[in-house]
Amino acid sequence: MAAAPDAPLQTRVVDDKSPLCIPFILSRVQKYREQHSAESNARPFIVGLNGVQGIGKTTLVRALAQILQEREGLATLVVSIDDFYFTHADQLALAAAHPDNALVQYRGEPGTHDIPLAKAFFSALCQNQPVRVPQYDKSAFSGLGDRLPEDSWPTVTKADVVILEGWCVGFRPLDAATVEAKWKGASRTLHNHKLEHLLFVNSCLHDYNTLTDLLDAFIHIDAEDTEYVYSWRQEQEAQLRQERGAGMTDEQVIKFVDAYYPAYELFTDRVRAGIFLPDRPGCQLRLVVGRDRSVQDKMVL
């Protein structure tokens, strides 16, 4: 295993991203409406937003939703991929079915989401039907997590724009030879797992393509160095320890992020190259941020 990152510097998440994202979203919404102008009941415009943990997704989607709703008059719904995790019971069953695969012992990696639930949810949204929005409680079962009862889920009846955010939104499966080549190459975490276990996670991503193909636009908040995720998560936990008296230690954060990091190493290159290309150019915005989370580069793919 690679050495732990240096002790984190305290940085503040500043929203320099929504001023770049809003014009992009509005331009795509306009094109979408022009293409569907003849339809009396067009489905909502769906934006995918991807970013590694700690990069500032929550701050960004909150700002985007507020601007789209209040300034632009677009009814905006934010949905997290995390809310589609398996129930606690189903996650235990998945772990038991693959007892030697560390990648699926806990929620996180592709393959630990209830994709049929997500498909049914987005199918109802796209038909402009009232639908309950799934909710997931990460604190349940001493942090193992569980889905909240359906009768507690909020109901949405109208949405002009839907933002689907999450750390693995937009990931596409790779061919087996590419997975093997990455596994054999230099990496931080891939060598900690058997090739067959990585291939299992990769195979699960085929089901996620249905959701990715629904996206009308995609925003990728990328990092100059993906390993910044370790320091960013350590900062968050240090703040929790200071404010609440509880939070993961730096060593626990490294172990926690290591469980997610194989997917970053496998699938980020494909996201960077453009998840819609070559068929749908101009639909992806990529913002690259530095160690302080400020935008260093911008490109439309």
Side-chain angles (χ1 to χ4, degrees):
M1 178 183 296
D6 294 336
L9 300 171
Q10 293 299 315
T11 62
R12 183 168 57 95
V13 179
V14 176
D15 179 25
D16 61 346
K17 303 170 188 64
S18 64
L20 301 173
C21 294
I22 289 294
F24 169 75
I25 293 173
L26 293 178
S27 70
R28 299 312 309 176
V29 169
Q30 181 179 355
K31 291 182 181 298
Y32 176 80
R33 288 182 166 178
E34 290 171 354
Q35 293 168 353
H36 298 272
S37 59
E39 301 177 22
S40 59
N41 199 27
R43 69 167 178 80
F45 182 87
I46 305 175
V47 183
L49 191 144
N50 172 294
V52 299
Q53 299 157 323
I55 207 167
K57 291 191 301 296
T58 300
T59 300
L60 177 58
V61 296
R62 185 184 299 120
L64 293 178
Q66 182 176 3
I67 294 169
L68 291 170
Q69 185 92 29
E70 298 178 3
R71 194 184 77 189
E72 303 297 332
L74 297 169
T76 303
L77 172 67
V78 175
V79 181
S80 173
I81 192 73
D82 292 355
D83 285 322
F84 294 99
Y85 279 131
F86 281 138
T87 63
H88 179 65
D90 286 345
Q91 178 58 51
L92 290 179
L94 174 67
H98 304 272
D100 60 337
N101 188 342
L103 295 167
V104 294
Q105 293 308 297
Y106 306 98
R107 71 174 191 269
E109 292 281 342
T112 64
H113 297 89
D114 189 335
I115 298 302
L117 174 64
K119 289 179 179 179
F121 171 79
F122 278 98
S123 176
L125 269 184
C126 289
Q127 296 176 57
N128 293 297
Q129 298 175 347
V131 61
R132 290 180 179 269
V133 185
Q135 303 288 292
Y136 190 89
D137 179 6
K138 293 181 179 179
S139 67
F141 291 96
S142 301
L144 294 178
D146 198 9
R147 192 179 302 153
L148 292 174
E150 186 172 349
D151 60 10
S152 70
W153 301 355
T155 298
V156 60
T157 58
K158 172 180 171 56
D160 297 314
V161 175
V162 178
I163 301 175
L164 174 63
E165 66 87 12
W167 74 281
C168 65
V169 171
F171 282 179
R172 297 277 198 187
L174 306 172
D175 60 77
T178 300
V179 174
E180 183 171 5
K182 286 179 175 288
W183 177 65
K184 289 180 176 178
S187 72
R188 179 182 174 88
T189 59
L190 294 181
H191 59 275
N192 296 331
H193 303 277
K194 294 181 179 179
L195 176 60
E196 65 193 78
H197 295 165
L198 296 169
L199 288 171
F200 174 77
V201 170
N202 184 69
S203 68
C204 290
L205 266 181
H206 287 281
D207 286 338
Y208 291 60
N209 271 340
T210 302
L211 303 180
T212 305
D213 290 340
L214 279 177
L215 302 178
D216 300 297
F218 184 68
I219 298 171
H220 180 207
I221 311 300
D222 198 4
E224 289 180 321
D225 184 342
T226 308
E227 289 199 24
Y228 290 160
V229 64
Y230 289 91
S231 296
W232 289 334
R233 280 308 305 253
Q234 286 172 342
E235 289 176 16
Q236 291 177 330
E237 294 300 322
Q239 186 173 353
L240 283 175
R241 292 196 303 270
Q242 181 178 352
E243 294 176 352
R244 304 180 186 178
M248 288 187 286
T249 65
D250 287 353
E251 292 74 18
Q252 288 172 327
V253 168
I254 292 171
K255 183 178 179 181
F256 174 82
V257 177
D258 276 349
Y260 290 78
Y261 207 81
Y264 293 140
E265 295 192 275
L266 285 176
F267 307 117
T268 298
D269 286 345
R270 178 68 178 87
V271 176
R272 288 171 174 159
I275 67 170
F276 301 129
L277 297 179
D279 299 328
R280 294 165 56 195
C283 294
Q284 176 169 329
L285 174 67
R286 178 174 176 239
L287 302 180
V288 183
V289 306
R291 172 65 181 82
D292 64 354
R293 300 184 181 89
S294 65
V295 176
Q296 305 298 309
D297 198 8
K298 166 193 169 185
M299 61 206 74
V300 175
L301 304 172

